[in-house]
Amino acid sequence: MVDLKQQMASLMEEVEPEVREVLETGQFIMGPRGKAFESEAAEFLGVQRAVGVASGTDALHLALRAAGVGPGDEVITSPFTFAATAEAILYTGARPVFADVDPHSYNLDPEAVAAAVSKRTRALLPVHLFGQPVDMEALDAVAAKHGLAVIEDCAQSFGAARQGRTTGAWGLAGAFSFFPSKNLGGAGDGGLITTNEEDVADHLLRLRNHGSSRPYFHDELGFNSRLDELQAVVLRAKLKRIRAYNEGRRRVAMAYRRNLASAAVTLPAEVEEGAHVYHQFVLQAENREEIREALQAAEIASAVYYAVPLHRQPAFADAAGGDACPVADRLAERVLALPMFPELSKEDVERISTVVAETARS
Ligand SMILES: *Cc1c(COP(=O)(O)O)cnc(C)c1O
């Protein structure tokens, strides 16, 4: 699905001496590189503050805590996402409530969200799925009407913007993941929380560091969740090139679109032209399993994100609220993700497209 080696090889010369320096100085966490990365990321994303943490899951969890979400609260989110989105809600003691998604964007449907609001609703947790920004204007309207906090799951959307505003700059906070295969990927786990609120950022600095604002004084229950210096070295090098990486993904997506224009598949929607950063290229097909087998026979990878929506997962089914999510159920049966990374060649995209086009049937 993704080749991480090419990108890393092209950065080796820049990264190697920096890694050596970190190893020689012995300053592995809470050092100058993590700090520098936070300010460079904040500037790139156009937000006031950015706080590095140990993973995207932690970014969601700590952002929800900083928003005051806790036991007795409900948080409305998408059932068509990675498990971490709902896990983070449960970690706070709150309950995830699943609202259905839009059949075209695969993102939370603002009308379904409005219908899911209850007395207990405290926050909305939209996911910019596969790199496509959520309809934030409509969600913000629901949030404003009911006085709810909005925390954005930006794990798949680094660099994506809607109406020129980056994902992660719309809500109270945005949670990013640097899992190696994400658009901006580290050499291990890492995450980042963005916010325009100084007091939220300062609270997050304490939450990630054992609830402490000065050494060995603990103001509240905190966590151990820092972005380490070696990750910061890799992420700073990649951040300089993220625009080109995302353009590369868009180039691959446009090639898939051209090649598959007349195939019996539903291509992913682009709600706003140019806004999608294609963390994944996910189409829909009636005979998905047949296409997967044909791809496998041609030694081409494919994946299904997500085969079991969260409202049907044993881990969440009991705890979660919300009605049926028929759109998410139908997508789970039809979606198919094709290989996607910036360096994927035109020839490979053509070869993959040919297999899909020849096998797809409506
Ligand atoms: C990857 C991902 C996460 C979790 O990020 P980690 O860094 O792996 O903890 C959360 N939400 C979504 C939608 C993701 O894709």
Side-chain angles (χ1 to χ4, degrees):
M1 290 301 287
V2 41
D3 177 359
L4 299 174
K5 286 186 290 215
Q6 290 184 47
Q7 204 169 82
M8 204 60 242
S10 72
L11 299 173
M12 206 58 91
E13 224 169 288
E14 181 173 333
V15 162
E16 213 172 42
E18 289 274 319
V19 166
R20 174 172 286 275
E21 207 177 304
V22 171
L23 297 180
E24 279 169 359
T25 58
Q27 194 166 18
F28 297 121
I29 52 170
M30 311 261 265
R33 289 173 177 81
K35 235 190 166 105
F37 172 69
E38 287 174 340
S39 35
E40 288 157 11
E43 190 180 329
F44 177 84
L45 294 168
V47 293
Q48 288 300 313
R49 298 279 295 273
V51 176
V53 292
S55 72
T57 309
D58 281 3
L60 286 165
H61 173 207
L62 299 189
L64 287 164
R65 283 196 178 251
V69 172
D73 293 334
E74 291 178 355
V75 178
I76 300 173
T77 194
S78 167
F80 198 59
T81 175
F82 181 57
T85 313
E87 284 173 339
I89 297 168
L90 285 164
Y91 295 161
T92 68
R95 197 163 90 110
V97 171
F98 296 118
D100 210 353
V101 294
D102 175 89
H104 306 291
S105 68
Y106 314 151
N107 279 329
L108 263 181
D109 174 356
E111 278 180 32
V113 171
V117 173
S118 82
K119 288 195 308 289
R120 290 175 177 271
T121 309
R122 180 72 181 251
L124 307 181
L125 180 35
V127 183
H128 304 289
L129 197 72
F130 305 142
Q132 171 136 269
V134 169
D135 180 352
M136 291 307 291
E137 294 92 332
L139 266 197
D140 276 350
V142 178
K145 184 170 168 199
H146 300 281
L148 309 173
V150 178
I151 306 295
E152 300 168 67
D153 185 336
C154 308
Q156 303 184 358
S157 69
F158 198 101
R162 181 182 170 89
Q163 311 283 329
R165 200 199 306 187
T166 185
T167 60
W170 290 80
L172 179 65
F176 292 84
S177 164
F178 303 129
F179 183 80
S181 65
K182 300 291 161 82
N183 288 41
L184 181 64
D189 278 312
L192 188 81
I193 306 162
T194 53
T195 182
N196 286 316
E197 302 290 330
E198 297 291 339
D199 54 337
V200 170
D202 291 339
H203 190 186
L204 289 165
L205 292 179
R206 296 194 298 276
L207 284 175
R208 76 170 178 186
N209 190 32
H210 304 285
S212 174
S213 47
R214 56 196 170 117
Y216 304 105
F217 287 83
H218 304 275
D219 315 314
E220 65 180 308
L221 177 65
F223 301 85
N224 175 357
S225 185
R226 280 85 57 119
L227 184 72
D228 70 67
E229 291 290 286
L230 291 173
Q231 293 312 322
V233 167
V234 172
L235 292 169
R236 289 180 79 191
K238 288 196 180 183
L239 180 62
K240 288 188 204 158
R241 300 161 172 91
I242 185 67
R243 245 184 261 279
Y245 294 155
N246 280 341
E247 276 163 21
R249 288 174 181 275
R250 288 192 54 79
R251 198 161 48 237
V252 170
M254 294 311 133
Y256 275 135
R257 283 185 180 287
R258 275 194 305 277
N259 299 342
L260 295 170
S262 52
V265 297
T266 306
L267 294 172
E270 272 212 32
V271 175
E272 179 184 318
E273 208 184 300
H276 201 320
V277 293
Y278 289 100
H279 174 58
Q280 299 291 349
F281 188 87
V282 178
L283 51 76
Q284 296 176 56
E286 202 54 50
N287 64 333
R288 176 182 71 194
E289 295 311 316
E290 254 180 281
I291 299 174
R292 288 204 78 184
E293 280 161 28
L295 287 168
Q296 200 180 6
E299 295 187 321
I300 296 167
S302 68
V304 173
Y305 308 119
Y306 295 93
V308 182
L310 301 190
H311 63 289
R312 303 209 173 273
Q313 299 276 6
F316 311 117
D318 291 344
D323 285 327
C325 297
V327 178
D329 285 335
R330 182 159 162 76
L331 287 174
E333 288 172 359
R334 290 172 51 89
V335 285
L336 178 66
L338 300 180
M340 168 56 80
F341 53 95
E343 299 82 8
L344 191 61
S345 74
K346 198 166 167 246
E347 293 70 31
D348 282 341
V349 174
E350 253 161 46
R351 199 166 62 88
I352 298 162
S353 306
T354 302
V355 176
V356 174
E358 283 175 356
T359 321
R361 261 172 276 289
S362 50

PDB file of all heavy atoms in Angstrom, residues 55-57 60 81-82 84-85 127 153 155-156 177-179 182 189-190 306, ligand 1:
ATOM      1  N   SER A  55       1.660  10.017  20.335  1.00  0.00           N
ATOM      2  CA  SER A  55       0.929   9.346  19.252  1.00  0.00           C
ATOM      3  C   SER A  55      -0.312  10.151  18.888  1.00  0.00           C
ATOM      4  O   SER A  55      -0.705  11.065  19.641  1.00  0.00           O
ATOM      5  CB  SER A  55       0.492   7.932  19.685  1.00  0.00           C
ATOM      6  OG  SER A  55      -0.556   8.018  20.639  1.00  0.00           O
ATOM      7  N   GLY A  56      -0.931   9.772  17.788  1.00  0.00           N
ATOM      8  CA  GLY A  56      -2.184  10.415  17.405  1.00  0.00           C
ATOM      9  C   GLY A  56      -3.300  10.067  18.376  1.00  0.00           C
ATOM     10  O   GLY A  56      -4.182  10.889  18.654  1.00  0.00           O
ATOM     11  N   THR A  57      -3.275   8.847  18.883  1.00  0.00           N
ATOM     12  CA  THR A  57      -4.272   8.423  19.870  1.00  0.00           C
ATOM     13  C   THR A  57      -4.180   9.298  21.118  1.00  0.00           C
ATOM     14  O   THR A  57      -5.187   9.782  21.645  1.00  0.00           O
ATOM     15  CB  THR A  57      -4.053   6.942  20.246  1.00  0.00           C
ATOM     16  OG1 THR A  57      -3.979   6.172  19.041  1.00  0.00           O
ATOM     17  CG2 THR A  57      -5.173   6.418  21.115  1.00  0.00           C
ATOM     18  N   LEU A  60      -5.580  12.799  20.524  1.00  0.00           N
ATOM     19  CA  LEU A  60      -7.040  12.842  20.666  1.00  0.00           C
ATOM     20  C   LEU A  60      -7.447  12.814  22.137  1.00  0.00           C
ATOM     21  O   LEU A  60      -8.274  13.603  22.592  1.00  0.00           O
ATOM     22  CB  LEU A  60      -7.670  11.647  19.945  1.00  0.00           C
ATOM     23  CG  LEU A  60      -7.700  11.702  18.419  1.00  0.00           C
ATOM     24  CD1 LEU A  60      -8.003  10.318  17.848  1.00  0.00           C
ATOM     25  CD2 LEU A  60      -8.728  12.718  17.938  1.00  0.00           C
ATOM     26  N   THR A  81     -14.222   5.093  10.826  1.00  0.00           N
ATOM     27  CA  THR A  81     -12.897   5.644  11.130  1.00  0.00           C
ATOM     28  C   THR A  81     -12.075   4.555  11.792  1.00  0.00           C
ATOM     29  O   THR A  81     -12.570   3.451  12.041  1.00  0.00           O
ATOM     30  CB  THR A  81     -13.023   6.873  12.066  1.00  0.00           C
ATOM     31  OG1 THR A  81     -11.709   7.324  12.451  1.00  0.00           O
ATOM     32  CG2 THR A  81     -13.791   6.545  13.345  1.00  0.00           C
ATOM     33  N   PHE A  82     -10.823   4.896  12.082  1.00  0.00           N
ATOM     34  CA  PHE A  82      -9.956   3.977  12.804  1.00  0.00           C
ATOM     35  C   PHE A  82     -10.377   3.948  14.286  1.00  0.00           C
ATOM     36  O   PHE A  82     -10.862   4.941  14.826  1.00  0.00           O
ATOM     37  CB  PHE A  82      -8.501   4.430  12.666  1.00  0.00           C
ATOM     38  CG  PHE A  82      -7.513   3.539  13.357  1.00  0.00           C
ATOM     39  CD1 PHE A  82      -7.433   2.191  13.059  1.00  0.00           C
ATOM     40  CD2 PHE A  82      -6.654   4.036  14.326  1.00  0.00           C
ATOM     41  CE1 PHE A  82      -6.531   1.358  13.694  1.00  0.00           C
ATOM     42  CE2 PHE A  82      -5.740   3.215  14.974  1.00  0.00           C
ATOM     43  CZ  PHE A  82      -5.686   1.871  14.651  1.00  0.00           C
ATOM     44  N   ALA A  84      -8.981   4.232  17.050  1.00  0.00           N
ATOM     45  CA  ALA A  84      -8.409   5.192  18.011  1.00  0.00           C
ATOM     46  C   ALA A  84      -9.348   6.365  18.289  1.00  0.00           C
ATOM     47  O   ALA A  84      -9.348   6.915  19.401  1.00  0.00           O
ATOM     48  CB  ALA A  84      -7.070   5.718  17.498  1.00  0.00           C
ATOM     49  N   THR A  85     -10.142   6.752  17.289  1.00  0.00           N
ATOM     50  CA  THR A  85     -11.045   7.892  17.469  1.00  0.00           C
ATOM     51  C   THR A  85     -11.994   7.633  18.644  1.00  0.00           C
ATOM     52  O   THR A  85     -12.187   8.489  19.507  1.00  0.00           O
ATOM     53  CB  THR A  85     -11.857   8.132  16.174  1.00  0.00           C
ATOM     54  OG1 THR A  85     -10.974   8.115  15.050  1.00  0.00           O
ATOM     55  CG2 THR A  85     -12.594   9.453  16.222  1.00  0.00           C
ATOM     56  N   VAL A 127     -13.804  13.470  11.909  1.00  0.00           N
ATOM     57  CA  VAL A 127     -12.576  12.872  11.373  1.00  0.00           C
ATOM     58  C   VAL A 127     -12.448  13.295   9.914  1.00  0.00           C
ATOM     59  O   VAL A 127     -13.362  13.067   9.122  1.00  0.00           O
ATOM     60  CB  VAL A 127     -12.647  11.325  11.434  1.00  0.00           C
ATOM     61  CG1 VAL A 127     -11.333  10.711  10.954  1.00  0.00           C
ATOM     62  CG2 VAL A 127     -12.993  10.856  12.840  1.00  0.00           C
ATOM     63  N   ASP A 153     -10.176  15.201  14.430  1.00  0.00           N
ATOM     64  CA  ASP A 153      -9.234  14.096  14.214  1.00  0.00           C
ATOM     65  C   ASP A 153      -8.579  14.316  12.851  1.00  0.00           C
ATOM     66  O   ASP A 153      -9.166  14.048  11.802  1.00  0.00           O
ATOM     67  CB  ASP A 153      -9.961  12.740  14.259  1.00  0.00           C
ATOM     68  CG  ASP A 153      -8.989  11.564  14.157  1.00  0.00           C
ATOM     69  OD1 ASP A 153      -7.884  11.750  13.611  1.00  0.00           O
ATOM     70  OD2 ASP A 153      -9.352  10.445  14.596  1.00  0.00           O
ATOM     71  N   ALA A 155      -5.652  12.963  11.935  1.00  0.00           N
ATOM     72  CA  ALA A 155      -4.604  11.947  11.786  1.00  0.00           C
ATOM     73  C   ALA A 155      -4.295  11.661  10.319  1.00  0.00           C
ATOM     74  O   ALA A 155      -3.175  11.296   9.973  1.00  0.00           O
ATOM     75  CB  ALA A 155      -5.017  10.663  12.496  1.00  0.00           C
ATOM     76  N   GLN A 156      -5.312  11.830   9.452  1.00  0.00           N
ATOM     77  CA  GLN A 156      -5.114  11.498   8.043  1.00  0.00           C
ATOM     78  C   GLN A 156      -5.067  12.745   7.153  1.00  0.00           C
ATOM     79  O   GLN A 156      -5.120  12.628   5.931  1.00  0.00           O
ATOM     80  CB  GLN A 156      -6.248  10.565   7.579  1.00  0.00           C
ATOM     81  CG  GLN A 156      -6.340   9.295   8.418  1.00  0.00           C
ATOM     82  CD  GLN A 156      -7.385   8.308   7.914  1.00  0.00           C
ATOM     83  OE1 GLN A 156      -8.089   8.568   6.944  1.00  0.00           O
ATOM     84  NE2 GLN A 156      -7.485   7.158   8.569  1.00  0.00           N
ATOM     85  N   SER A 177      -1.516  12.620  13.776  1.00  0.00           N
ATOM     86  CA  SER A 177      -0.713  11.417  14.013  1.00  0.00           C
ATOM     87  C   SER A 177       0.491  11.427  13.082  1.00  0.00           C
ATOM     88  O   SER A 177       0.375  11.808  11.913  1.00  0.00           O
ATOM     89  CB  SER A 177      -1.547  10.168  13.730  1.00  0.00           C
ATOM     90  OG  SER A 177      -0.706   9.029  13.587  1.00  0.00           O
ATOM     91  N   PHE A 178       1.638  10.982  13.603  1.00  0.00           N
ATOM     92  CA  PHE A 178       2.821  10.824  12.764  1.00  0.00           C
ATOM     93  C   PHE A 178       3.190   9.358  12.620  1.00  0.00           C
ATOM     94  O   PHE A 178       4.356   9.029  12.378  1.00  0.00           O
ATOM     95  CB  PHE A 178       3.995  11.644  13.321  1.00  0.00           C
ATOM     96  CG  PHE A 178       3.659  13.107  13.454  1.00  0.00           C
ATOM     97  CD1 PHE A 178       3.894  13.784  14.647  1.00  0.00           C
ATOM     98  CD2 PHE A 178       3.092  13.799  12.397  1.00  0.00           C
ATOM     99  CE1 PHE A 178       3.574  15.126  14.773  1.00  0.00           C
ATOM    100  CE2 PHE A 178       2.761  15.141  12.513  1.00  0.00           C
ATOM    101  CZ  PHE A 178       3.006  15.811  13.708  1.00  0.00           C
ATOM    102  N   PHE A 179       2.224   8.466  12.793  1.00  0.00           N
ATOM    103  CA  PHE A 179       2.425   7.045  12.473  1.00  0.00           C
ATOM    104  C   PHE A 179       3.111   7.002  11.092  1.00  0.00           C
ATOM    105  O   PHE A 179       2.758   7.788  10.207  1.00  0.00           O
ATOM    106  CB  PHE A 179       1.054   6.359  12.456  1.00  0.00           C
ATOM    107  CG  PHE A 179       1.127   4.874  12.217  1.00  0.00           C
ATOM    108  CD1 PHE A 179       1.449   4.010  13.244  1.00  0.00           C
ATOM    109  CD2 PHE A 179       0.869   4.349  10.957  1.00  0.00           C
ATOM    110  CE1 PHE A 179       1.523   2.639  13.023  1.00  0.00           C
ATOM    111  CE2 PHE A 179       0.935   2.977  10.732  1.00  0.00           C
ATOM    112  CZ  PHE A 179       1.265   2.124  11.769  1.00  0.00           C
ATOM    113  N   LYS A 182       1.357   7.802   7.732  1.00  0.00           N
ATOM    114  CA  LYS A 182       0.501   8.986   7.562  1.00  0.00           C
ATOM    115  C   LYS A 182       1.161   9.982   6.584  1.00  0.00           C
ATOM    116  O   LYS A 182       2.329   9.847   6.259  1.00  0.00           O
ATOM    117  CB  LYS A 182       0.228   9.651   8.918  1.00  0.00           C
ATOM    118  CG  LYS A 182      -0.485   8.733   9.921  1.00  0.00           C
ATOM    119  CD  LYS A 182      -1.927   8.428   9.509  1.00  0.00           C
ATOM    120  CE  LYS A 182      -2.512   7.214  10.191  1.00  0.00           C
ATOM    121  NZ  LYS A 182      -3.037   7.402  11.522  1.00  0.00           N
ATOM    122  N   ASP A 189       6.255   6.112  16.466  1.00  0.00           N
ATOM    123  CA  ASP A 189       5.011   6.776  16.833  1.00  0.00           C
ATOM    124  C   ASP A 189       5.249   8.245  17.195  1.00  0.00           C
ATOM    125  O   ASP A 189       6.315   8.618  17.671  1.00  0.00           O
ATOM    126  CB  ASP A 189       4.371   6.070  18.041  1.00  0.00           C
ATOM    127  CG  ASP A 189       3.584   4.837  17.637  1.00  0.00           C
ATOM    128  OD1 ASP A 189       2.779   4.937  16.688  1.00  0.00           O
ATOM    129  OD2 ASP A 189       3.770   3.777  18.259  1.00  0.00           O
ATOM    130  N   GLY A 190       4.229   9.056  16.985  1.00  0.00           N
ATOM    131  CA  GLY A 190       4.286  10.464  17.367  1.00  0.00           C
ATOM    132  C   GLY A 190       2.950  11.117  17.080  1.00  0.00           C
ATOM    133  O   GLY A 190       2.132  10.576  16.330  1.00  0.00           O
ATOM    134  N   TYR A 306     -13.066   0.921   6.080  1.00  0.00           N
ATOM    135  CA  TYR A 306     -12.915   0.028   7.207  1.00  0.00           C
ATOM    136  C   TYR A 306     -13.945  -1.073   7.051  1.00  0.00           C
ATOM    137  O   TYR A 306     -15.119  -0.772   6.800  1.00  0.00           O
ATOM    138  CB  TYR A 306     -13.128   0.811   8.503  1.00  0.00           C
ATOM    139  CG  TYR A 306     -12.020   1.853   8.657  1.00  0.00           C
ATOM    140  CD1 TYR A 306     -12.194   3.143   8.199  1.00  0.00           C
ATOM    141  CD2 TYR A 306     -10.802   1.487   9.216  1.00  0.00           C
ATOM    142  CE1 TYR A 306     -11.165   4.081   8.319  1.00  0.00           C
ATOM    143  CE2 TYR A 306      -9.777   2.438   9.337  1.00  0.00           C
ATOM    144  CZ  TYR A 306      -9.961   3.725   8.878  1.00  0.00           C
ATOM    145  OH  TYR A 306      -8.952   4.638   8.977  1.00  0.00           O
TER     146      TYR A 306
HETATM  147  C1  LIG B   1      -3.842   6.786  12.655  1.00  0.00           C
HETATM  148  C2  LIG B   1      -5.095   7.303  13.202  1.00  0.00           C
HETATM  149  C3  LIG B   1      -5.257   7.609  14.563  1.00  0.00           C
HETATM  150  C4  LIG B   1      -4.274   7.225  15.619  1.00  0.00           C
HETATM  151  O1  LIG B   1      -2.983   7.650  15.426  1.00  0.00           O
HETATM  152  P1  LIG B   1      -1.763   6.858  16.127  1.00  0.00           P
HETATM  153  O2  LIG B   1      -0.624   7.803  15.922  1.00  0.00           O
HETATM  154  O3  LIG B   1      -1.590   5.580  15.383  1.00  0.00           O
HETATM  155  O4  LIG B   1      -2.080   6.670  17.551  1.00  0.00           O
HETATM  156  C5  LIG B   1      -6.437   8.211  14.969  1.00  0.00           C
HETATM  157  N1  LIG B   1      -7.425   8.469  14.108  1.00  0.00           N
HETATM  158  C6  LIG B   1      -7.322   8.170  12.799  1.00  0.00           C
HETATM  159  C7  LIG B   1      -8.462   8.498  11.891  1.00  0.00           C
HETATM  160  C8  LIG B   1      -6.167   7.561  12.296  1.00  0.00           C
HETATM  161  O5  LIG B   1      -6.091   7.251  11.001  1.00  0.00           O
END
